[in-house]
Amino acid sequence: MIATPEVLIVGGGPAGLAAARETVGAGCDTVVLDDALEPGGQLVKQTHKFFGSEMEYAGVRGIKIPEILLREVSDSPKLKILLRTTASGYYEDGVVTAIFQDKKVLKFKPKKLIIATGAQEKTILFPNNDMPGVYGAGAVQTLMNVYGVAPGTRGLMIGAGNIGLIVSYQLRQAGIAVAAVVEALDRIGGYWVHASKIARLKIPILTRHTIIEALGEENVTGAIIAQIDDNWLPIPGTEREIECDFICLAVGLSPLSDLFRLAECEMVFVPEFGGDVPLRDTNMETSTKGIYVAGDVGGIEEASSAIIEGALAGISTAFSLGKNIPDYERRNRELRDELVSLRSGPVGEHIRSGIAKCRISAKTEVG
Amino acid sequence: MASQIERTGVPTKEQIESTLPGDERRAKGPYAVIECWQEIPCDPCVASCPFGYIAPMKNINDLPKLDQESCTGCGNCIALCPGLAIFIIDETFGGEDEAMIRIPHEFAPLPEKEDIVRALDREGNYVADAEVVRVQKGKSGCTVLHLLIPKKFILDIRAVEPLPMR
Ligand SMILES: Cc1cc2nc3c(=O)[nH]c(=O)nc-3n(C[C@H](O)[C@H](O)[C@H](O)COP(=O)(O)OP(=O)(O)OC[C@H]3O[C@@H](n4cnc5c(N)ncnc54)[C@H](O)[C@@H]3O)c2cc1C
């Protein structure tokens, strides 16, 4: 049997949930698929107070946000959230397949599809990077903050972006030592306030350094790091051994955009966004009519913007289904303005440059 | 070449001194200092001030602007800043050579009132012992510690060494 909801949302992170809040609020039959055990995406492991816009719940801890997003619509009979359900395919007749709780295959033919699948972590090459004890930062965060399991006793963090800095802080909060944060750039990539927090804990941030190899026989017992030169090559003689029993990679994310490719949406490689992303118009609709994008899968950014993009995709979808949305034009404009404002500062420069590369031209937009 | 704070997360002496209000204001009682040096899209501090003394931002990337002359030192902002970058200094508290500082603290176990804790600077170095005057638990989950410290260290002390886990 093929289910035919008005709206199918793949991904129940902040973008997907914000979209659902809007489509359900506007009266659309909506199904949300998420492969995790609970809705929230990245938020379920983020115990820190969130950065960003007060209007999008900054200052609140990430783990609390999914509940807040769903509050208005959680009792609605129009909303169905299927957990442990992975969207696995898109077929040319517009059918989306999904594996439901490892048990059966579900089929959906929605009128509109919103893809908000988020991103996956990148890795880097070094000898022994496949040894037990080498983790992605997301795995470390999930182990600690969702399952209460310590990944080790003393870690080495690779990457001083926001994720590397925040996870280092959270490790220390869990009573786990962090030997150092190693960063190839000549500066901290994340926000300085996050760096200040770990500086106060005496965790050294080693800029212009890289990991050379992980040490150990069966699991990590240490690491060799070294300084690098302007060409990012290790400077001989600067190698040193760091004692640690796990290594945590926080070297960037890459959009999980495969479903768009299956749906033959026009894609573009945007280095600023960590990989291939679909072209989209200002309403978040892709080059394939009726398929929308929202959140990190359209470009690695932040929860605040994921929530706004989700809301924008949600109201645009509902509007295109002919639902009555009071003040649609004004709300649409407000959401877009909020995005522009979030991205307008110096740290938003790469986002602005990325967005410019994946806009569908004005011509296509009219049609 | 990247600046000190860009490389280490630690501000320079000049940056730190620039957060202090004038002598007259300092002598009047508690005031907030905001150690936020980077234009990032973040604005919860604005709404955190019950008196509206942190000016509304034209752009969410603006640096916060606090009216230090009017600031009452209530400290509501401390626990709401996601960057843990706001502190309250009260140079009128305690004896001649003492002062009070209020700092955010997110480590369990929490110290208790009257405990002596190890106060740290921005680089995590031990500066002095401090007495915990009050442990203020907020609904954001971020605790604010009120510490009695030697007055000469009001610009240095910004953290407390986490206690060993039980
Ligand atoms: C350590 C860390 C700290 C952060 N701190 C902040 C912060 O302070 N402020 C801030 O604004 N942002 C922060 N972020 C970023 C923020 O978490 C993300 O930008 C945001 O979660 C993106 O939302 P999203 O909905 O696009 O994707 P996600 O949150 O990644 O959600 C996507 C969901 O889709 C599911 N999914 C993927 N593929 C499928 C499929 N095929 N079928 C079914 N389900 C699927 C995933 O399991 C996931 O649940 C942080 C991120 C990290 C990792």
Side-chain angles (χ1 to χ4, degrees):
Chain A
M1 206 192 74
I2 298 186
T4 54
E6 289 181 286
V7 181
L8 180 69
I9 300 176
V10 183
L17 295 182
R21 183 189 58 191
E22 300 302 330
T23 57
V24 173
C28 309
D29 268 320
T30 303
V31 175
V32 179
L33 309 180
D34 195 284
D35 55 11
L37 299 172
E38 50 182 315
Q42 301 286 336
L43 299 176
V44 301
K45 53 191 179 165
Q46 288 168 22
T47 49
H48 61 290
K49 281 185 286 178
F50 246 54
F51 263 74
S53 161
E54 166 78 21
M55 274 165 73
E56 311 317 326
Y57 321 112
V60 176
R61 287 175 201 276
I63 42 176
K64 301 259 187 236
I65 299 175
E67 182 193 314
I68 302 176
L69 277 176
L70 284 174
R71 195 174 286 157
E72 291 160 36
V73 293
S74 56
D75 294 334
S76 169
K78 299 260 179 201
L79 174 66
K80 202 173 193 180
I81 301 182
L82 299 179
L83 298 171
R84 285 176 55 212
T85 306
T86 308
S88 53
Y90 181 94
Y91 294 83
E92 45 196 19
D93 53 356
V95 169
V96 175
T97 53
I99 319 283
F100 174 69
Q101 304 188 347
D102 297 331
K103 284 199 282 264
K104 58 179 180 191
V105 176
L106 303 179
K107 289 183 195 159
F108 298 90
K109 188 165 180 176
K111 291 208 175 76
K112 305 280 173 183
L113 174 63
I114 301 175
I115 300 176
T117 43
Q120 65 185 358
E121 295 189 284
K122 292 185 186 175
T123 187
I124 48 173
L125 287 177
F126 55 87
N128 290 332
N129 73 352
D130 58 348
M131 196 154 53
V134 181
Y135 296 87
V140 163
Q141 218 187 12
T142 305
L143 273 180
M144 277 195 305
N145 300 351
V146 181
Y147 301 112
V149 172
T153 61
R154 184 177 156 89
L156 174 68
M157 181 66 64
I158 313 296
N162 276 332
I163 295 180
L165 299 173
I166 291 172
V167 174
S168 297
Y169 182 72
Q170 294 179 346
L171 280 163
R172 205 56 185 73
Q173 284 181 307
I176 299 161
V178 179
V181 178
V182 168
E183 168 60 56
L185 294 174
D186 68 344
R187 66 197 66 202
I188 291 156
Y191 296 158
W192 303 343
V193 276
H194 288 314
S196 303
K197 286 191 224 172
I198 67 167
R200 299 201 284 257
L201 295 166
K202 226 176 167 46
I203 297 173
I205 301 173
L206 307 174
T207 50
R208 297 185 67 121
H209 275 73
T210 194
I211 180 165
I212 304 293
E213 67 172 305
L215 302 175
E217 293 296 326
E218 293 192 335
N219 47 272
V220 171
T221 56
I224 305 284
I225 64 167
Q227 272 181 50
I228 53 176
D229 63 17
D230 291 339
N231 300 315
W232 288 39
L233 294 172
I235 302 173
T238 65
E239 299 86 0
R240 68 181 147 123
E241 191 174 332
I242 299 279
E243 202 188 305
C244 59
D245 59 8
F246 70 101
I247 295 166
C248 188
L249 303 178
V251 292
L253 299 168
S254 169
L256 275 169
S257 54
D258 318 62
L259 283 172
F260 293 106
R261 200 172 296 108
L262 289 176
E264 295 183 347
C265 300
E266 248 182 90
M267 308 292 286
V268 56
F269 176 76
V270 179
E272 294 91 331
F273 285 165
D276 285 330
V277 293
L279 298 183
R280 79 292 307 253
D281 68 13
T282 50
N283 291 326
M284 308 308 295
E285 191 167 12
T286 65
S287 63
T288 307
K289 268 237 144 295
I291 300 186
Y292 292 75
V293 56
D296 277 358
V297 69
I300 307 306
E301 216 176 325
E302 296 206 321
S304 292
S305 43
I307 290 171
I308 303 171
E309 283 191 350
L312 190 54
I315 62 165
S316 307
T317 301
F319 187 73
S320 71
L321 284 167
K323 303 290 173 186
N324 173 35
I325 300 182
D327 271 344
Y328 171 73
E329 297 297 332
R330 187 182 53 84
R331 285 214 53 209
N332 183 301
R333 161 68 46 205
E334 277 172 6
L335 290 167
R336 289 200 239 163
D337 287 349
E338 249 190 275
L339 282 174
V340 168
S341 159
L342 272 180
R343 294 164 175 162
S344 63
V347 294
E349 205 206 312
H350 71 286
I351 306 286
R352 296 195 296 277
S353 126
I355 296 279
K357 295 180 185 168
C358 50
R359 273 268 171 262
I360 290 180
S361 70
K363 194 166 140 243
T364 336
E365 228 163 89
V366 175
Chain B
M1 175 67 188
S3 67
Q4 174 174 317
I5 188 149
E6 285 175 300
R7 279 182 285 111
T8 61
V10 179
T12 59
K13 200 157 169 269
E14 291 73 52
Q15 281 172 314
I16 294 162
E17 282 169 356
S18 74
T19 63
L20 280 183
D23 290 347
E24 224 172 283
R25 174 66 192 83
R26 291 172 57 183
K28 270 193 205 144
Y31 53 87
V33 291
I34 304 188
E35 304 195 353
C36 180
W37 326 97
Q38 187 182 27
E39 291 171 55
I40 55 175
C42 187
D43 69 357
C45 59
V46 174
S48 79
C49 180
F51 306 100
Y53 293 145
I54 301 180
M57 295 179 181
K58 283 208 187 69
N59 181 305
I60 190 172
N61 288 277
D62 290 346
L63 294 179
K65 263 212 264 347
L66 164 69
D67 175 357
Q68 267 178 326
E69 289 302 318
S70 309
C71 171
T72 65
C74 75
N76 207 46
C77 45
I78 304 176
L80 291 171
C81 167
L84 308 188
I86 312 185
F87 309 88
I88 301 281
I89 299 174
D90 185 354
E91 299 177 56
T92 63
F93 187 93
E96 178 119 345
D97 299 326
E98 293 170 323
M100 155 114 93
I101 182 156
R102 286 184 244 159
I103 62 164
H105 189 74
E106 298 187 316
F107 293 86
L110 286 171
E112 282 169 27
K113 192 177 159 181
E114 291 175 8
D115 279 358
I116 302 296
V117 291
R118 287 167 59 81
L120 310 176
D121 67 11
R122 292 178 188 74
E123 294 168 77
N125 296 314
Y126 169 79
V127 179
D129 283 351
E131 183 188 327
V132 179
V133 178
R134 187 173 164 208
V135 179
Q136 192 184 350
K137 293 179 199 160
K139 43 178 191 310
S140 76
C142 175
T143 300
V144 176
L145 297 181
H146 299 225
L147 305 173
L148 184 64
I149 62 169
K151 198 177 222 155
K152 61 182 176 200
F153 294 134
I154 56 165
L155 283 181
D156 302 295
I157 291 176
R158 287 298 177 270
V160 158
E161 192 170 279
L163 298 172
M165 293 191 129
R166 283 188 285 253

